[in-house]
Amino acid sequence: MTFRAKHLLGIEHLGPDEITTLLDLADQYVDLNRRDVKHTNTLAGLTQINMFFENSTRTQASFEIAGKRLGADVMNMAMQASSLKKGETLIDTALTLNAMHPDLLVVRHPHSGAVDLLAQKVNCAVLNAGDGRHEHPTQALLDALTIRRAKGRLHRLSIAICGDIAHSRVARSNIMLLGKMENRVRLIGPPTLMPSGMQEFGVEVFEDMREGLQDVDVVMMLRLQKERMDGGFIPSEREYYHRYGLDPEKLSYAKDDAIIMHPGPMNRGVEIDGVLADDINRSVIQEQVEMGVAVRMAAMELLVRTRREAAAEQGVMA
Ligand code: CP
């Protein structure tokens, strides 16, 4: 098997062969998820705990559905009602849950690096469901699966990632994944929302949206992350939409068959025109959500398989 990772903490740690293995398995789960009966017993008897220290709709729901369809016992920790409120630390919380022998921990946390730290303290597989501005690996993987299915390949494509790059873990994970799979990545956004030194990641940077969108195959819009801003990044939402909001006129610079993506949640009328977002001939935003369940099923199955194989090898050597 070409998947070797013990945790899924970031795209940074995955090789192109591991990404392909995961997407191939996810393709099979897309088929299963479209059937009347969607259950397997791949993770039967295993325990999955979801710990979301930040709000989520798509990621939390799809991890829960993914675990249940694989037959795992899934528990969603209500973090707002946990002993964190009494001052218990993240690490003590993790050690407490670890003592209950979970097999999979799914963690979203507002601080970059918090999920990596937690993974060092527990015995089970940890999946990063988004940590601060750092990484959101399953989002990049579901984006990759969506692109591969829409375009028939995941290499030598020209892909524009537009908007609030500075605060986006989605952008960071996508830049790494799309680069590893040998695509041409363009970043488009105002200088205030574009971290310096991005060219070091092998991407092209554009301030002008029309120039950046010229002849691209994929237009990936990002949410303006107001909750991570402490003021002064944009003159106004109206001005931002005028310069960087995706509308039919700006989209006309991309290829005629370019697809529109957005990780959600969307600010309609801020980074994207609502009609374009709903245009089933161009937008694959709902497909992204569908792929999210399949990718998370594949990720959890592969992590469990890696651990079972490692345990079997240790048993043979003992
Ligand atoms: N794309 C994404 O992470 O959405 P949620 O915040 O709703 O999980």
Side-chain angles (χ1 to χ4, degrees):
M1 190 175 78
T2 53
F3 197 87
R4 299 166 296 276
K6 288 172 70 184
H7 302 289
L8 183 56
L9 300 176
I11 298 300
E12 189 180 359
H13 310 292
L14 294 180
D17 56 340
E18 290 178 294
I19 292 168
T20 302
T21 297
L22 195 152
L23 298 185
D24 289 348
L25 181 59
D27 258 331
Q28 295 176 31
Y29 280 127
V30 174
D31 294 339
L32 177 77
N33 289 337
R34 290 180 179 179
R35 290 190 203 145
D36 291 341
V37 178
K38 302 168 179 66
H39 280 105
T40 71
N41 60 4
T42 311
L43 300 188
L46 303 190
T47 303
Q48 171 190 338
I49 300 180
N50 297 334
M51 300 166 71
F52 280 68
F53 297 88
E54 235 186 32
N55 294 345
S56 170
T57 296
R58 282 145 283 267
T59 313
Q60 182 163 4
S62 60
F63 264 117
E64 182 177 352
I65 290 170
K68 287 179 173 169
R69 287 189 182 163
L70 292 171
D73 298 314
V74 183
M75 186 186 83
N76 288 313
M77 278 290 294
M79 301 318 303
Q80 294 303 319
S82 74
S83 288
L84 282 161
K85 290 285 166 199
K86 299 178 195 163
E88 190 164 51
T89 65
L90 170 69
I91 297 306
D92 281 339
T93 304
L95 291 174
T96 301
L97 294 173
N98 189 52
M100 300 178 199
H101 300 291
D103 301 284
L104 295 147
L105 271 185
V106 178
V107 186
R108 170 170 287 191
H109 199 279
H111 297 152
S112 303
V115 184
D116 289 48
L117 184 67
L118 191 147
Q120 293 166 28
K121 306 287 181 187
V122 298
N123 303 321
C124 65
V126 176
L127 294 101
N128 182 359
D131 64 323
R133 301 178 192 185
H134 178 225
E135 280 234 35
H136 193 349
T138 55
Q139 178 69 46
L141 288 160
L142 74 87
D143 290 340
L145 185 62
T146 307
I147 295 170
R148 194 173 81 165
R149 290 172 71 96
K151 292 287 162 195
R153 66 182 199 276
L154 187 60
H155 60 275
R156 278 186 268 124
L157 292 167
S158 184
I159 298 163
I161 305 177
C162 316
D164 184 358
I165 310 289
H167 299 101
S168 179
R169 56 195 176 209
V170 174
R172 199 177 149 81
S173 290
N174 264 300
I175 290 165
M176 279 188 268
L177 190 155
L178 296 168
K180 282 175 195 254
M181 303 311 279
E182 299 184 5
N183 295 285
R184 193 171 154 203
V185 178
R186 298 170 160 209
L187 303 183
I188 307 171
T192 49
L193 295 174
M194 188 67 68
S196 59
M198 290 310 290
Q199 285 88 346
E200 286 169 25
F201 288 85
V203 299
E204 293 174 90
V205 175
F206 295 85
E207 188 177 339
D208 183 87
M209 184 113 172
R210 292 168 185 82
E211 201 186 326
L213 289 182
Q214 193 76 49
D215 292 330
V216 298
D217 299 287
V218 177
V219 183
M220 188 182 292
M221 300 307 300
L222 296 176
R223 182 171 68 88
L224 200 58
Q225 302 207 15
K226 296 174 219 170
E227 76 278 17
R228 297 191 207 281
M229 296 182 187
D230 43 20
F233 285 89
I234 56 166
S236 69
E237 287 185 3
R238 191 183 156 95
E239 174 68 12
Y240 183 81
Y241 181 70
H242 177 66
R243 293 197 60 195
Y244 294 103
L246 187 68
D247 57 19
E249 188 273 325
K250 295 189 197 82
L251 181 64
S252 70
Y253 286 80
K255 282 187 183 159
D256 290 341
D257 63 351
I259 56 170
I260 301 169
M261 304 179 75
H262 193 303
M266 277 184 277
N267 297 307
R268 290 171 185 260
V270 178
E271 69 255 358
I272 190 164
D273 170 66
V275 176
L276 264 189
D278 297 333
D279 179 353
I280 57 168
N281 295 314
R282 304 302 294 270
S283 168
V284 293
I285 293 170
Q286 295 309 319
E287 282 84 345
Q288 286 174 268
V289 178
E290 183 187 3
M291 296 308 121
V293 178
V295 153
R296 287 165 180 132
M297 290 170 84
M300 290 195 287
E301 178 180 335
L302 289 172
L303 289 175
V304 166
R305 265 205 248 166
T306 306
R307 283 174 176 261
R308 281 180 175 152
E309 285 174 9
E313 273 174 32
Q314 279 180 352
V316 169
M317 286 162 66

